[in-house]
Amino acid sequence: MGKLIVGVLLGWLLLAVALFVWLHHGHPPVAVADTPFPMEKTIVHVPLNARIDREMVKTPPIAVSDENLIAGARIYREQCASCHGLPGLPSSFGGEMYPDAPPLWQQHRNSKVVGVSDDPPGETEWKVANGIRLTGMPSYKKVLSDTEIWQVTLLLANADKLPPQVVEMVKQPLPPVNAAPVAVAKPAK
Ligand code: HEC
């Protein structure tokens, strides 16, 4: 019995040493351009989807109204467009992330779906509120209010059938950060 325990412990120790050596010298993927681990996407997405299925809210607490869609458009421009792009204008770097930030205004090939308009709103709301670990997707729980998260969610859930004025709103340029003239201190003589 004693020998068995020593054997098992030794086995674990060897495994830990081998793992350390591989992490140090084995060139595991760390750069965005590296080849992913085998089955990396599946390993990450199975638990993520299971969790979302369990936790997502089935019925949105707010209605799809012009007011909510326009508010969603403003939030999208401010918080999301840099990574996920605008209608007709992809993000300059969203495709250079790993995993990439999917373009949320692009129509899917051979279908009318735009971005995530085919996902249940509760799934999108979960992703926006909680973020997606080890990807660039932030958690907005402490950045936006619950209502704001639902407003931007409803915007994306209806991206395939938005009134044209809402699409125009999404594309409006943001006001400049320093809209007011900034006082510049004169250099001392
Ligand atoms: C810093 C970059 C970044 C910002 C800002 C960002 N996202 Fe993301 N987002 C990502 C990345 C990267 C992914 C892909 C995650 C993955 O593959 O699992 C993602 C995934 C998503 C998805 C899931 C897409 C799908 O195909 O299932 C949704 C929905 C989403 N983001 C919505 C938003 C919304 C709404 C905002 C703004 C409130 C936002 N994101 C802001 C980077 C970003």
Side-chain angles (χ1 to χ4, degrees), residues 28-61:
V30 288
V32 166
D34 287 349
T35 316
F37 279 115
M39 303 200 24
E40 188 172 322
K41 282 222 161 115
T42 316
I43 292 168
V44 173
H45 278 119
V46 167
L48 176 70
N49 293 338
R51 171 93 179 263
I52 294 175
D53 275 349
R54 273 198 307 275
E55 293 185 357
M56 75 176 175
V57 176
K58 299 280 181 303
T59 318

Side-chain angles (χ1 to χ4, degrees), residues 2-188:
K3 269 191 188 156
L4 184 71
I5 293 175
V6 172
V8 169
L9 284 179
L10 221 71
W12 279 110
L13 191 71
L14 267 175
L15 209 67
V17 170
L19 182 68
F20 181 80
V21 171
W22 177 71
L23 286 177
H24 228 266
H25 302 286
H27 298 287
V30 288
V32 166
D34 287 349
T35 316
F37 279 115
M39 303 200 24
E40 188 172 322
K41 282 222 161 115
T42 316
I43 292 168
V44 173
H45 278 119
V46 167
L48 176 70
N49 293 338
R51 171 93 179 263
I52 294 175
D53 275 349
R54 273 198 307 275
E55 293 185 357
M56 75 176 175
V57 176
K58 299 280 181 303
T59 318
I62 60 169
V64 182
S65 64
D66 281 1
E67 194 192 343
N68 282 330
L69 292 176
I70 287 170
R74 179 184 49 75
I75 296 159
Y76 184 87
R77 267 162 32 205
E78 285 174 9
Q79 302 285 342
C80 326
S82 56
C83 286
H84 290 291
L86 292 169
L89 187 68
S91 155
S92 58
F93 59 84
E96 306 302 322
M97 302 174 72
Y98 186 87
D100 63 317
L104 295 178
W105 297 97
Q106 199 163 295
Q107 191 167 341
H108 294 203
R109 225 177 297 155
N110 303 326
S111 94
K112 288 218 154 72
V113 174
V114 175
V116 289
S117 68
D118 56 337
D119 286 348
E123 176 178 339
T124 297
E125 189 270 343
W126 192 98
K127 290 175 179 171
V128 178
N130 296 287
I132 305 176
R133 206 174 170 84
L134 294 183
T135 80
M137 177 60 198
S139 158
Y140 282 93
K141 230 182 243 175
K142 295 185 182 156
V143 180
L144 299 171
S145 69
D146 288 354
T147 305
E148 287 173 322
I149 292 178
W150 277 108
Q151 285 168 331
V152 74
T153 293
L154 291 184
L155 177 84
L156 295 176
N158 291 283
D160 56 340
K161 46 182 173 297
L162 288 174
Q165 67 270 28
V166 175
V167 178
E168 280 312 307
M169 281 287 301
V170 178
K171 290 199 282 189
Q172 289 287 311
L174 288 174
V177 178
N178 290 321
V182 183
V184 179
K186 281 198 185 126

